[in-house]
């Protein structure tokens, strides 16, 4: 994923 | 979502529930470091800033609310609840956690994926989580007898991030362009900090003796 993507992990 | 990550989240949830169970039912926080609990509340507060702006999934939002709610209520219990406070070992829980917060903030300002407020705060939370357990590990070294619930709490807390490392390896090989060096290195450092605790915890469990850490 591109840097700064919304982080999908907790 | 893969099995490693789900197992990691569930292990993390168990660690929090074990701690809440201990504090809420027997009204005791013996052996628990308030400093570490405050650092974890800060970790979740700075990591989940996007809870109302970026909807990932119901699971993601519910888990964020659980982690936020539990970490802040644990801090509240240890700071405000008269009965719980009595078992707080403030003479030994003296780790200056400011020494952890500031370097993590500076590092986040220097090394991040994107220079935006949310991203820097998120990166800060990743660095801070890696070292947040230090006051707790120091307290365990100082207090001789580690009761079962405290030992289980620290064990599950350490185990969850090692499961996340398996999740990152899995995602690296299955998702193109999935690269997050910051999270990976911090997660590795975090897990390594538990290494000696794991060693003593597992050997005490194998030899069926009380968990004691060397002075």
């Amino acid at each position: 994923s591109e840097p700064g993507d919304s982080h999908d992990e907790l | 979502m893969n099995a490693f990550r789900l197992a990691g989240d569930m292990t993390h949830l168990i660690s929090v529930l074990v701690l809440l169970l201990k504090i809420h039912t027997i009204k005791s926080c013996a052996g628990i470091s308030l400093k570490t609990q405050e650092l974890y509340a800060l970790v979740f507060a700075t990591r989940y800033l996007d809870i109302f702006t970026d909807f990932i999934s119901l699971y993601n939002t519910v888990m964020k609310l659980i982690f936020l709610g539990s970490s802040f209520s644990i801090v509240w219990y240890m700071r405000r609840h008269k009965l719980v406070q009595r078992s707080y070992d403030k003479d030994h829980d003296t780790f200056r956690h400011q020494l952890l917060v500031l370097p993590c903030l500076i590092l986040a300002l220097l090394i991040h994926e994107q220079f935006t407020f949310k991203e820097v705060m998120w990166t800060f939370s990743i660095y801070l989580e890696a070292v947040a357990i230090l006051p707790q590990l120091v307290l365990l070294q100082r207090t001789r007898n580690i009761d079962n619930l405290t030992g289980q709490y620290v064990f599950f807390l350490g185990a969850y991030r090692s499961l996340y490392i398996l999740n990152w390896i899995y995602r690296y090989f299955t998702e193109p362009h999935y690269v997050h060096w910051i999270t990976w290195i911090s997660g590795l450092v975090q897990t390594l900090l538990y290494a000696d605790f794991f060693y003593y915890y597992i050997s005490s469990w194998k030899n069926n003796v009380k968990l004691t850490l060397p002075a």
Side-chain angles (χ1 to χ4, degrees):
Chain A
S1 57
E2 294 314 307
D5 270 3
S6 71
H7 301 286
D8 63 350
E9 292 178 347
L10 289 173
Chain B
M1 173 62 82
N2 60 67
F4 299 116
R5 192 165 127 213
L6 184 62
D9 289 342
M10 290 305 109
T11 307
H12 194 187
L13 184 64
I14 290 170
S15 77
V16 159
L17 296 181
V18 161
L19 185 52
L20 265 176
L21 176 90
K22 173 184 170 94
I23 291 179
H24 184 71
T25 47
I26 55 177
K27 294 288 181 284
S28 157
C29 67
I32 301 298
S33 163
L34 173 59
K35 314 270 179 164
T36 286
Q37 297 311 314
E38 288 171 346
L39 289 175
Y40 257 102
L42 185 56
V43 165
F44 292 131
T46 50
R47 184 171 306 176
Y48 299 153
L49 292 174
D50 63 350
I51 187 167
F52 298 117
T53 56
D54 305 356
F55 180 78
I56 308 270
S57 69
L58 184 64
Y59 170 84
N60 187 270
T61 303
V62 167
M63 290 297 278
K64 284 176 177 176
L65 290 172
I66 292 173
F67 287 138
L68 281 167
S70 56
S71 61
F72 279 92
S73 53
I74 287 164
V75 168
W76 178 85
Y77 261 116
M78 292 182 73
R79 276 186 167 278
R80 293 279 182 277
H81 194 287
K82 284 283 162 280
L83 212 52
V84 172
Q85 261 181 333
R86 280 227 295 263
S87 56
Y88 172 50
D89 185 358
K90 64 176 171 303
D91 303 334
H92 289 112
D93 189 21
T94 56
F95 195 104
R96 286 204 303 280
H97 49 339
Q98 299 83 343
L99 292 181
L100 297 173
V101 173
L102 206 59
C104 289
L105 188 57
I106 293 167
L107 193 60
L109 287 166
L110 294 175
I111 305 173
H112 42 258
E113 288 181 3
Q114 213 183 11
F115 194 67
T116 63
F117 175 72
K118 265 181 21 177
E119 188 63 25
V120 169
M121 283 293 103
W122 181 85
T123 311
F124 164 69
S125 82
I126 291 288
Y127 295 144
L128 188 62
E129 187 188 357
V131 294
I133 196 63
L134 283 173
Q136 179 63 63
L137 293 179
V138 165
L139 183 62
L140 288 186
Q141 298 275 352
R142 291 178 180 165
T143 52
R144 298 315 304 151
N145 64 329
I146 301 169
D147 66 274
N148 289 342
L149 281 171
T150 303
Q152 284 155 5
Y153 163 67
V154 177
F155 176 78
F156 285 121
L157 195 54
Y160 114 82
R161 212 62 178 164
S162 39
L163 288 164
Y164 252 75
I165 291 175
L166 299 180
N167 151 64
W168 292 324
I169 294 169
Y170 177 84
R171 292 188 74 176
Y172 175 76
F173 286 111
T174 55
E175 295 175 32
H177 313 308
Y178 180 79
V179 177
H180 281 297
W181 285 111
I182 289 175
T183 325
W184 297 347
I185 293 170
S186 302
L188 190 61
V189 166
Q190 181 172 339
T191 304
L192 291 177
L193 287 178
Y194 286 80
D196 69 326
F197 173 82
F198 281 146
Y199 171 76
Y200 290 109
Y201 188 79
I202 291 164
S203 51
S204 81
W205 175 73
K206 267 200 311 210
N207 309 332
N208 197 18
V209 294
K210 190 94 179 125
L211 172 62
T212 53
L213 298 177

